[in-house]
Amino acid sequence: MSDPATAELPSFPYHPDPLATGAVVAGDTECLCCGLRRGYVYVGPVYAVADIRAELCPWCIADGSAAERFGAQFTEVTGEAPKSVVRTVERRTPGFAGWQQERWLTHCGDAAAYLGRAGAKELADHPEAAQSLRETLGETFFASLDADGQPTAYLFRCRSCAQHLAYADFT
């Protein structure tokens, strides 16, 4: 059996790089669910009766054991998607921290893949998402979007057609 601290992170189809987005970080915390120190810990939101903060490993999220054991949910899906997809995203996918209530976007009848926070500068590489936000927010507010501050946008990519989607949030 391989050393849990050096094991490859599980794959999350709806959150392809949780290290890059900051939802998972290197850490020596013992997982509250499995009791192992795997070298990584989830630091995103956990909606559960118990107060769980940075105490779950990505493996217990991926296999659903954290959701099952603690009645936990890690995000909320908005839009149309099959119940099985909604359940996978909400209970088996690392969420992300937003300024207000996080929401997972959908497109083409599926949940989109979360890519991370984006400002106006980063959205320049994704014109369809940028245009949608400009229409919704106006040019002045759009120009103030900051990937490392607020207001910020949350960038997604449709898993079917590859269109980029985003929504903006601030305190």
Side-chain angles (χ1 to χ4, degrees):
M1 183 173 189
S2 66
D3 177 2
T6 61
E8 188 174 322
L9 283 173
S11 174
F12 296 102
Y14 296 100
H15 196 153
D17 196 349
L19 289 171
T21 66
V24 172
V25 298
D28 195 31
T29 303
E30 182 178 297
C31 178
L32 193 59
C33 189
C34 68
L36 296 176
R37 295 178 191 273
R38 296 184 181 242
Y40 294 97
V41 63
Y42 170 67
V43 294
V46 180
Y47 305 100
V49 174
D51 186 21
I52 302 168
R53 303 219 182 266
E55 299 170 308
L56 296 174
C57 72
W59 292 265
C60 288
I61 294 172
D63 70 12
S65 58
E68 183 68 30
R69 180 169 180 188
F70 301 107
Q73 182 173 319
F74 304 101
T75 192
E76 185 174 328
V77 175
T78 59
E80 296 295 319
K83 282 187 178 188
S84 62
V85 169
V86 171
R87 186 169 176 83
T88 296
V89 173
E90 291 181 349
R91 300 177 52 91
R92 292 177 173 246
T93 301
F96 61 92
W99 292 104
Q100 306 273 336
Q101 175 65 41
E102 302 83 13
R103 59 186 200 255
W104 209 279
L105 301 182
T106 62
H107 198 264
C108 292
D110 190 12
Y114 177 64
L115 303 179
R117 293 170 53 139
K121 178 179 148 190
E122 293 79 14
L123 288 165
D125 293 334
H126 310 290
E128 66 275 19
Q131 182 59 33
S132 174
L133 285 174
R134 279 187 176 98
E135 290 170 4
T136 304
L137 305 171
E139 186 60 43
T140 302
F141 190 85
F142 175 82
S144 70
L145 293 174
D146 182 350
D148 298 318
Q150 64 171 314
T152 195
Y154 303 94
L155 185 63
F156 293 80
R157 182 183 61 245
C158 177
R159 290 170 21 100
S160 179
C161 73
Q163 180 175 326
H164 286 88
L165 318 157
Y167 76 93
D169 193 8
F170 61 98
T171 59

